[in-house]
Amino acid sequence: MTTPPVFSAKWLIKSSGKLITVIVFLILDFLDNFFCIVFRILDECFEGKASPCYCEKKGEQVGDDELQLSETLYGRKNVFREMGFLGFARIWENSKKRGGVVGGEVVVNRWSDCGCESCVSWMKNGDHQKLHVVVREPSKATIDDCMVKPTENVIFLHGFLCSSSFWTETVFPYISEPKNRNYRLFAVDLLGFGRSPKPRDCSYTLKDHIEMIEKSVIYPFALDSFHLVGHSMGCIIALALAAKHSNSVKSITLVAPPFFPTKDGGSSIALNKLAEKSLWPPLLFGSSVMTWYEHLGRCVCFLICRNHRTWEKMLKLITGKRDLHFTAMDLTRHTHHSGWHTMHNVICGGATVLDSYLTVLVKAGTKICIIHGDRDQVVPIECTINFKMKAPHSDVNILKNADHSSVIFGREKEFAQYLEHIW
């Protein structure tokens, strides 16, 4: 019995696609190892010392447990690395301090990072230990009302490769006047993004992010109660912050939360779900390159982030617009070091601890509301389904024909009204 021609054609196309994918990522494996050596040489030339990387096995760096590093930093398989491609050139140097050293002083800014005024403004602010926070105070006309009714506080946490503009440009303008009179809104630039500090001696763990939010918002403004709103990666940080301050949190609103409940190997599951090695769609391919390949990712950041002013000028000329959309600007407002570590230690590494955080919040009876688009290709909707199973009391709202961005973009007024209803 012969195989039908149609079946044979489909099998051939599918097999060819898989073979091409394997070949492409083998080439990327090689290139990542190659640029590992290239960057070591360049770092030593420009900074006097090669920046450490994660090309060697875990355990050779002092203080891994203390730094709470994600398993995915070391667990990214690379064929050429496994073959000992880097054996002749030791990349990792035992040191707790990240960053090159010149003349005995730590070089804060890598040679491959942008050094323009907007990117290094946090170094000149006088206080390098606080985040950039946009605060919208209650209306002055109702100070007397606030004395009778205490001011409500809301902390907004953006997602990966975003900034506080994600909230100030979308939600803040649509908050109704009654709420403006008695609500104080905080939009935070998370550590390593926007105008906030981007230190090289930081591993950007969940603990680092939480401590910076406490130092920048909760403690200086003496917040004894507050609401939390997070989008994508911001949801993970919001859950961690809420679990630590469960007695102070009045509600949590999560938009497209990347929740993977598996404890053992949860970080690897998150990595494969959010950045699967695939050539299609293009967004997923880009995510896989930037997440799996440390040194190729640094190349991309060198070409785009370091030269963001040039790209912005070109975009303005092409589009004929004087001002670019804030999302385009935010994409380059980070360093490779901050983006790489946040991706692995927060988004992937957070999968191993979210179960415990959620258990705390369920026991505390914290009000949790979730919004997710049914066409989200960045964070699969199964994440919200898993979340609902773990926290049955949470309120879930699935938006039809909405993706990772349009769950808010184009629905700003409705989203603001939804938040007001929750508060």
Side-chain angles (χ1 to χ4, degrees), residues 61-111:
Q61 168 73 358
V62 179
D64 285 337
D65 293 335
E66 182 181 338
L67 290 175
Q68 301 177 340
L69 301 182
S70 170
E71 291 287 342
T72 57
L73 285 169
Y74 301 94
R76 298 167 294 108
K77 293 183 178 180
N78 186 300
V79 174
F80 295 94
R81 189 161 60 236
E82 296 293 329
M83 293 169 59
F85 184 82
L86 298 175
F88 66 92
R90 185 171 183 78
I91 306 302
W92 190 277
E93 297 181 8
N94 291 328
S95 172
K96 284 187 178 182
K97 193 75 171 177
R98 294 189 180 278
V101 177
V102 178
E105 295 183 1
V106 177
V107 179
V108 180
N109 205 47
R110 269 181 174 175
W111 65 269

Side-chain angles (χ1 to χ4, degrees), residues 173-337:
Y174 291 94
I175 298 296
S176 65
E177 184 56 31
K179 293 299 179 183
N180 276 330
R181 293 174 184 174
N182 202 56
Y183 277 73
R184 183 166 50 177
L185 310 180
F186 300 88
V188 180
D189 278 1
L190 292 173
L191 182 65
F193 299 91
R195 296 184 181 180
S196 284
K198 304 170 184 65
R200 289 182 57 184
D201 59 345
C202 177
S203 294
Y204 296 88
T205 63
L206 264 176
K207 181 181 178 182
D208 293 326
H209 284 279
I210 296 305
E211 289 180 348
M212 285 298 284
I213 294 173
E214 291 173 334
K215 292 178 183 178
S216 308
V217 182
I218 296 178
Y219 297 151
F221 290 93
L223 304 187
D224 55 3
S225 68
F226 52 89
H227 301 269
L228 284 169
V229 181
H231 174 251
S232 193
M233 178 190 74
C235 297
I236 299 175
I237 299 174
L239 287 171
L241 185 64
K244 187 174 181 179
H245 298 271
S246 58
N247 293 329
S248 300
V249 177
K250 303 184 73 173
S251 74
I252 311 175
T253 303
L254 307 175
V255 184
F259 181 76
F260 300 94
T262 306
K263 293 182 179 180
D264 298 326
S267 56
S268 298
I269 292 176
L271 176 63
N272 285 290
K273 286 285 186 178
L274 299 175
E276 178 187 1
K277 286 187 174 182
S278 176
L279 299 180
W280 192 264
L283 180 62
L284 182 58
F285 174 67
S287 298
S288 62
V289 171
M290 296 300 292
T291 307
W292 285 87
Y293 300 104
E294 180 177 3
H295 304 288
L296 288 179
R298 189 177 174 186
C299 285
V300 173
C301 286
F302 173 72
L303 293 173
I304 298 178
C305 298
R306 189 179 189 277
N307 302 288
H308 69 89
R309 289 171 296 177
T310 301
W311 292 108
E312 289 165 8
K313 290 178 181 178
M314 291 174 61
L315 283 175
K316 289 177 181 179
L317 287 174
I318 294 173
T319 60
K321 295 181 179 179
R322 183 176 180 180
D323 297 315
L324 297 176
H325 195 268
F326 70 88
T327 54
M329 304 288 285
D330 287 345
L331 280 175
T332 61
R333 296 300 193 269
H334 69 283
T335 64
H336 174 257
H337 183 83

